[in-house]
Amino acid sequence: MKILITGGAGYIGGTAVEIMRGQGHEISILDDCSTGHVDTIPKDVRFVQGSLLNPSEIADALTGTDAVIHFAGKSLVGESVDKPALYYSVNVGGTRNLLDEMYKAGVKKIVFSSSAATYGEPLQIPIPESATTSPTNPYGATKLAVDQMITTESRTRGLAAASLRYFNVAGALHCDRGWLSERHNPETHLIPNILCSSVENPVKIFGSDWPTADGTCIRDYVHVIDLIDAHIKALDSLQNELHEIYNLGSGDGYSVRQVVAAACEAFGHSIATIDSPRRPGDPAVLIADIGKARTGLDWAPTRGIQAMVADTLASFN
Ligand code: UDP
Protein backbone atom coordinates (compact mmCIF):
# COMPACT_ATOMS: atom_id res chain seq x y z
CA MET A 1 0.00 0.00 0.00
CA LYS A 2 1.13 3.60 -0.65
CA ILE A 3 0.94 5.35 2.72
CA LEU A 4 1.51 9.00 3.65
CA ILE A 5 2.84 9.28 7.20
CA THR A 6 2.48 12.82 8.52
CA GLY A 7 4.95 13.55 11.31
CA GLY A 8 7.18 10.76 10.00
CA ALA A 9 10.33 12.55 11.20
CA GLY A 10 9.21 12.33 14.83
CA TYR A 11 9.63 9.65 17.48
CA ILE A 12 6.37 7.74 16.99
CA GLY A 13 5.90 8.59 13.29
CA GLY A 14 9.52 7.64 12.54
CA THR A 15 9.00 4.29 14.24
CA ALA A 16 5.93 3.73 12.04
CA VAL A 17 7.93 4.62 8.91
CA GLU A 18 10.61 2.09 9.78
CA ILE A 19 8.25 -0.77 10.63
CA MET A 20 5.86 -0.21 7.71
CA ARG A 21 8.56 0.18 5.06
CA GLY A 22 10.05 -3.05 6.42
CA GLN A 23 6.72 -4.70 5.66
CA GLY A 24 6.93 -3.62 2.01
CA HIS A 25 4.66 -0.56 2.07
CA GLU A 26 5.62 2.42 -0.09
CA ILE A 27 5.98 5.31 2.35
CA SER A 28 5.89 9.09 1.92
CA ILE A 29 6.48 11.53 4.76
CA LEU A 30 5.06 15.01 5.32
CA ASP A 31 6.82 16.78 8.17
CA ASP A 32 7.65 20.42 8.83
CA CYS A 33 10.59 19.34 11.05
CA SER A 34 9.53 21.81 13.77
CA THR A 35 10.05 19.01 16.28
CA GLY A 36 11.04 16.10 14.02
CA HIS A 37 14.54 15.21 12.88
CA VAL A 38 15.48 14.95 9.19
CA ASP A 39 18.42 12.69 10.03
CA THR A 40 16.03 9.89 11.07
CA ILE A 41 14.37 9.70 7.63
CA PRO A 42 15.46 6.72 5.51
CA LYS A 43 16.99 7.66 2.14
CA ASP A 44 14.56 5.51 0.11
CA VAL A 45 11.44 7.25 1.45
CA ARG A 46 9.77 10.18 -0.33
CA PHE A 47 10.00 13.19 1.99
CA VAL A 48 8.04 16.42 1.61
CA GLN A 49 9.23 19.02 4.09
CA GLY A 50 5.98 20.89 4.45
CA SER A 51 3.32 22.10 6.80
CA LEU A 52 -0.25 21.07 7.55
CA LEU A 53 -0.98 24.79 7.33
CA ASN A 54 -0.03 24.80 3.63
CA PRO A 55 -2.64 22.95 1.49
CA SER A 56 -0.42 22.81 -1.60
CA GLU A 57 2.33 21.06 0.36
CA ILE A 58 -0.22 18.56 1.67
CA ALA A 59 -1.51 17.99 -1.87
CA ASP A 60 2.05 17.36 -3.06
CA ALA A 61 2.68 14.86 -0.27
CA LEU A 62 -0.61 13.04 -1.00
CA THR A 63 0.31 12.29 -4.63
CA GLY A 64 -0.34 8.61 -5.36
CA THR A 65 -1.37 7.84 -1.77
CA ASP A 66 -3.88 5.12 -0.76
CA ALA A 67 -4.04 5.94 2.95
CA VAL A 68 -2.79 8.40 5.56
CA ILE A 69 -1.45 7.79 9.04
CA HIS A 70 -1.67 11.16 10.73
CA PHE A 71 0.85 11.68 13.55
CA ALA A 72 1.82 15.30 12.86
CA GLY A 73 0.84 17.85 15.45
CA LYS A 74 1.77 19.64 18.63
CA SER A 75 1.84 17.23 21.57
CA LEU A 76 2.92 18.78 24.85
CA VAL A 77 0.23 19.40 27.46
CA GLY A 78 2.11 22.18 29.28
CA GLU A 79 2.95 24.03 26.06
CA SER A 80 -0.71 23.81 25.00
CA VAL A 81 -1.74 25.68 28.15
CA ASP A 82 0.72 28.47 27.29
CA LYS A 83 0.00 28.53 23.55
CA PRO A 84 -3.59 27.34 22.92
CA ALA A 85 -3.89 29.24 19.62
CA LEU A 86 -0.86 27.38 18.23
CA TYR A 87 -2.42 24.05 19.21
CA TYR A 88 -5.79 24.89 17.61
CA SER A 89 -4.11 26.21 14.50
CA VAL A 90 -1.79 23.24 13.89
CA ASN A 91 -3.79 20.34 15.32
CA VAL A 92 -7.33 21.37 14.33
CA GLY A 93 -6.76 23.76 11.41
CA GLY A 94 -3.95 21.62 10.02
CA THR A 95 -6.04 18.45 10.16
CA ARG A 96 -8.96 20.31 8.53
CA ASN A 97 -6.60 21.10 5.63
CA LEU A 98 -5.41 17.51 5.49
CA LEU A 99 -8.98 16.12 5.35
CA ASP A 100 -9.94 18.59 2.61
CA GLU A 101 -6.88 17.73 0.53
CA MET A 102 -7.51 14.00 1.06
CA TYR A 103 -11.08 14.49 -0.19
CA LYS A 104 -9.88 16.38 -3.27
CA ALA A 105 -7.28 13.69 -3.99
CA GLY A 106 -9.77 10.82 -3.44
CA VAL A 107 -7.81 9.40 -0.48
CA LYS A 108 -10.40 7.76 1.76
CA LYS A 109 -8.46 6.08 4.56
CA ILE A 110 -6.99 7.63 7.68
CA VAL A 111 -5.60 6.44 11.01
CA PHE A 112 -5.27 9.33 13.46
CA SER A 113 -3.09 9.74 16.59
CA SER A 114 -5.57 10.75 19.25
CA SER A 115 -4.93 10.80 22.97
CA ALA A 116 -6.17 9.75 26.38
CA ALA A 117 -6.08 13.49 27.11
CA THR A 118 -9.48 13.64 25.37
CA TYR A 119 -11.07 12.05 28.45
CA GLY A 120 -9.82 14.52 31.07
CA GLU A 121 -10.30 13.58 34.74
CA PRO A 122 -11.63 10.00 34.53
CA LEU A 123 -14.89 9.07 36.22
CA GLN A 124 -14.10 5.36 35.93
CA ILE A 125 -10.92 3.25 35.83
CA PRO A 126 -10.04 1.55 33.52
CA ILE A 127 -11.28 4.08 30.97
CA PRO A 128 -13.39 2.69 28.09
CA GLU A 129 -13.83 4.52 24.77
CA SER A 130 -17.44 5.23 25.80
CA ALA A 131 -16.25 7.35 28.78
CA THR A 132 -17.20 11.02 28.94
CA THR A 133 -14.77 13.24 27.06
CA SER A 134 -13.98 16.36 29.04
CA PRO A 135 -10.38 17.43 28.33
CA THR A 136 -8.62 19.46 31.01
CA ASN A 137 -6.10 21.18 28.69
CA PRO A 138 -6.01 22.62 25.14
CA TYR A 139 -3.94 19.68 23.85
CA GLY A 140 -6.70 17.21 24.77
CA ALA A 141 -9.37 19.59 23.48
CA THR A 142 -7.71 19.78 20.06
CA LYS A 143 -7.39 15.99 19.84
CA LEU A 144 -11.08 15.65 20.71
CA ALA A 145 -12.04 18.31 18.15
CA VAL A 146 -10.19 16.33 15.46
CA ASP A 147 -11.84 13.06 16.52
CA GLN A 148 -15.23 14.78 16.13
CA MET A 149 -14.22 16.27 12.78
CA ILE A 150 -13.22 12.83 11.52
CA THR A 151 -16.55 11.34 12.65
CA THR A 152 -18.37 13.99 10.58
CA GLU A 153 -16.03 13.38 7.65
CA SER A 154 -16.77 9.64 7.69
CA ARG A 155 -20.52 10.31 7.65
CA THR A 156 -20.56 13.09 5.06
CA ARG A 157 -17.68 12.16 2.76
CA GLY A 158 -17.45 8.40 3.27
CA LEU A 159 -14.04 8.47 4.99
CA ALA A 160 -12.84 5.16 6.48
CA ALA A 161 -11.19 6.15 9.75
CA ALA A 162 -9.77 5.09 13.08
CA SER A 163 -8.66 7.29 15.98
CA LEU A 164 -6.18 5.69 18.34
CA ARG A 165 -6.19 7.20 21.80
CA TYR A 166 -2.68 6.76 23.18
CA PHE A 167 -2.01 6.51 26.88
CA ASN A 168 1.74 6.86 27.79
CA VAL A 169 4.06 5.82 24.96
CA ALA A 170 7.59 4.67 25.85
CA GLY A 171 10.43 2.47 24.59
CA ALA A 172 12.23 2.73 21.27
CA LEU A 173 12.96 0.81 18.07
CA HIS A 174 16.46 -0.11 16.95
CA CYS A 175 17.06 -0.09 13.19
CA ASP A 176 20.01 0.01 10.79
CA ARG A 177 20.37 3.77 11.42
CA GLY A 178 20.52 3.27 15.20
CA TRP A 179 17.81 3.86 17.81
CA LEU A 180 14.73 5.90 16.92
CA SER A 181 14.39 7.60 20.26
CA GLU A 182 12.26 10.23 21.92
CA ARG A 183 14.13 13.56 21.76
CA HIS A 184 12.39 16.56 23.30
CA ASN A 185 13.96 19.81 24.33
CA PRO A 186 13.07 20.50 27.07
CA GLU A 187 12.14 16.94 28.03
CA THR A 188 8.98 16.61 30.13
CA HIS A 189 8.22 12.88 30.10
CA LEU A 190 8.90 10.69 33.09
CA ILE A 191 11.02 7.86 31.63
CA PRO A 192 13.47 10.09 29.68
CA ASN A 193 13.71 12.36 32.72
CA ILE A 194 14.60 9.40 34.93
CA LEU A 195 17.27 8.29 32.48
CA CYS A 196 18.80 11.80 32.31
CA SER A 197 18.84 12.22 36.09
CA SER A 198 21.85 12.20 38.39
CA VAL A 199 22.59 12.65 42.08
CA GLU A 200 23.03 16.39 41.43
CA ASN A 201 19.89 16.46 39.25
CA PRO A 202 17.44 14.04 40.89
CA VAL A 203 14.13 13.02 39.31
CA LYS A 204 11.35 15.22 40.58
CA ILE A 205 8.39 13.17 41.75
CA PHE A 206 5.38 15.36 41.01
CA GLY A 207 3.24 14.76 44.08
CA SER A 208 3.58 12.08 46.74
CA ASP A 209 0.18 12.68 48.35
CA TRP A 210 -2.07 11.35 45.58
CA PRO A 211 -4.84 8.91 46.59
CA THR A 212 -2.84 5.90 45.34
CA ALA A 213 -1.07 3.05 47.18
CA ASP A 214 2.36 4.77 47.22
CA GLY A 215 1.06 8.34 46.91
CA THR A 216 2.36 8.90 43.36
CA CYS A 217 0.42 9.15 40.08
CA ILE A 218 -0.42 6.02 38.12
CA ARG A 219 -0.15 5.85 34.34
CA ASP A 220 -0.58 3.19 31.66
CA TYR A 221 2.57 2.75 29.52
CA VAL A 222 2.64 1.11 26.07
CA HIS A 223 5.75 0.29 24.03
CA VAL A 224 6.06 2.26 20.80
CA ILE A 225 6.54 -0.97 18.77
CA ASP A 226 3.27 -2.40 20.14
CA LEU A 227 1.63 0.96 19.43
CA ILE A 228 2.65 0.88 15.75
CA ASP A 229 1.46 -2.72 15.48
CA ALA A 230 -1.99 -1.43 16.48
CA HIS A 231 -1.82 1.24 13.74
CA ILE A 232 -1.13 -1.42 11.12
CA LYS A 233 -4.06 -3.49 12.37
CA ALA A 234 -6.28 -0.41 12.48
CA LEU A 235 -5.35 0.44 8.87
CA ASP A 236 -6.27 -3.09 7.77
CA SER A 237 -9.60 -2.90 9.59
CA LEU A 238 -10.89 0.39 8.09
CA GLN A 239 -14.37 0.41 6.58
CA ASN A 240 -15.99 3.10 4.41
CA GLU A 241 -18.16 5.60 6.27
CA LEU A 242 -17.07 4.23 9.64
CA HIS A 243 -14.95 5.98 12.26
CA GLU A 244 -13.81 3.70 15.07
CA ILE A 245 -12.05 4.89 18.22
CA TYR A 246 -9.67 2.60 20.15
CA ASN A 247 -7.70 3.11 23.35
CA LEU A 248 -4.06 2.01 23.20
CA GLY A 249 -2.31 1.27 26.46
CA SER A 250 -1.32 -1.90 28.28
CA GLY A 251 -4.38 -2.05 30.50
CA ASP A 252 -2.05 -1.96 33.54
CA GLY A 253 -1.06 0.99 35.69
CA TYR A 254 2.38 1.84 37.12
CA SER A 255 3.00 4.48 39.74
CA VAL A 256 5.83 6.99 39.32
CA ARG A 257 7.77 5.16 42.04
CA GLN A 258 7.21 1.80 40.29
CA VAL A 259 8.61 3.24 37.05
CA VAL A 260 11.62 4.57 38.96
CA ALA A 261 12.10 1.07 40.47
CA ALA A 262 11.95 -0.52 36.99
CA ALA A 263 14.58 2.00 35.81
CA CYS A 264 16.82 1.21 38.81
CA GLU A 265 16.71 -2.43 37.74
CA ALA A 266 17.60 -1.54 34.12
CA PHE A 267 20.41 0.78 35.28
CA GLY A 268 21.70 -1.63 37.89
CA HIS A 269 22.00 1.13 40.49
CA SER A 270 19.79 3.43 42.53
CA ILE A 271 18.24 6.61 41.13
CA ALA A 272 18.06 9.84 43.11
CA THR A 273 14.56 11.26 43.45
CA ILE A 274 13.13 14.31 45.15
CA ASP A 275 9.52 14.68 46.24
CA SER A 276 8.14 17.79 44.54
CA PRO A 277 4.77 19.55 44.30
CA ARG A 278 2.00 18.12 42.13
CA ARG A 279 2.13 19.15 38.47
CA PRO A 280 -0.94 21.21 37.51
CA GLY A 281 -3.41 19.32 35.33
CA ASP A 282 -2.24 15.81 36.30
CA PRO A 283 -5.04 13.33 37.08
CA ALA A 284 -4.15 10.80 39.82
CA VAL A 285 -4.77 7.63 37.79
CA LEU A 286 -5.07 6.94 34.06
CA ILE A 287 -5.44 3.32 32.96
CA ALA A 288 -6.87 2.24 29.60
CA ASP A 289 -9.56 -0.31 29.04
CA ILE A 290 -8.04 -1.93 25.93
CA GLY A 291 -10.81 -4.50 25.42
CA LYS A 292 -12.01 -2.90 22.20
CA ALA A 293 -8.53 -2.94 20.58
CA ARG A 294 -8.03 -6.53 21.75
CA THR A 295 -11.23 -7.80 20.16
CA GLY A 296 -11.78 -5.28 17.33
CA LEU A 297 -8.17 -5.22 16.09
CA ASP A 298 -6.99 -8.58 17.43
CA TRP A 299 -4.20 -6.58 19.07
CA ALA A 300 -2.38 -7.15 22.34
CA PRO A 301 0.64 -5.39 23.84
CA THR A 302 3.64 -7.71 24.10
CA ARG A 303 6.30 -5.61 25.86
CA GLY A 304 6.15 -4.69 29.54
CA ILE A 305 7.50 -1.77 31.57
CA GLN A 306 10.96 -3.41 31.93
CA ALA A 307 11.39 -3.59 28.15
CA MET A 308 10.14 -0.01 27.75
CA VAL A 309 12.63 1.33 30.29
CA ALA A 310 15.50 -0.82 28.99
CA ASP A 311 14.90 0.19 25.35
CA THR A 312 14.57 3.87 26.25
CA LEU A 313 17.84 3.58 28.20
CA ALA A 314 19.59 1.88 25.27
CA SER A 315 18.29 4.56 22.89
CA PHE A 316 19.84 7.27 25.07
CA ASN A 317 23.33 5.73 25.03
N1 UDP B 1 6.28 12.81 36.30
C1 UDP B 1 7.12 13.01 37.37
N2 UDP B 1 8.35 13.58 37.15
C2 UDP B 1 8.77 13.95 35.91
C3 UDP B 1 7.90 13.75 34.80
C4 UDP B 1 6.67 13.19 35.03
O1 UDP B 1 6.78 12.68 38.51
O2 UDP B 1 9.89 14.45 35.77
C5 UDP B 1 4.98 12.17 36.49
C6 UDP B 1 3.79 12.98 35.99
O3 UDP B 1 3.31 13.84 37.00
C7 UDP B 1 2.80 11.88 35.63
C8 UDP B 1 3.70 10.72 35.19
O4 UDP B 1 4.99 10.98 35.74
O5 UDP B 1 2.11 11.46 36.77
C9 UDP B 1 3.82 10.60 33.70
O6 UDP B 1 4.13 11.89 33.17
P1 UDP B 1 4.58 12.12 31.67
O7 UDP B 1 4.91 13.57 31.54
O8 UDP B 1 5.63 11.13 31.30
O9 UDP B 1 3.30 11.74 30.80
P2 UDP B 1 1.79 12.30 30.87
O10 UDP B 1 1.06 11.32 31.76
O11 UDP B 1 1.79 13.69 31.37
O12 UDP B 1 1.34 12.18 29.45
Side-chain angles (χ1 to χ4, degrees), residues 77 167-168 187-194 203-207 210 216-219 221 256 278-279 282-284 286:
V77 169
F167 282 64
N168 291 59
E187 185 53 69
T188 61
H189 288 137
L190 176 63
I191 295 177
N193 276 354
I194 292 173
V203 184
K204 289 185 181 149
I205 299 206
F206 295 147
W210 294 95
T216 65
C217 284
I218 293 176
R219 293 289 179 274
Y221 297 84
V256 174
R278 291 181 178 191
R279 188 172 65 175
D282 264 345
L286 290 177

Side-chain angles (χ1 to χ4, degrees), residues 31 35 54 77 84 103-104 110 122-123 140 145 147 182-183 198:
D31 199 302
T35 51
N54 186 330
V77 169
Y103 181 68
K104 284 188 211 161
I110 189 167
L123 301 175
D147 282 347
E182 190 170 11
R183 288 190 263 166
S198 61

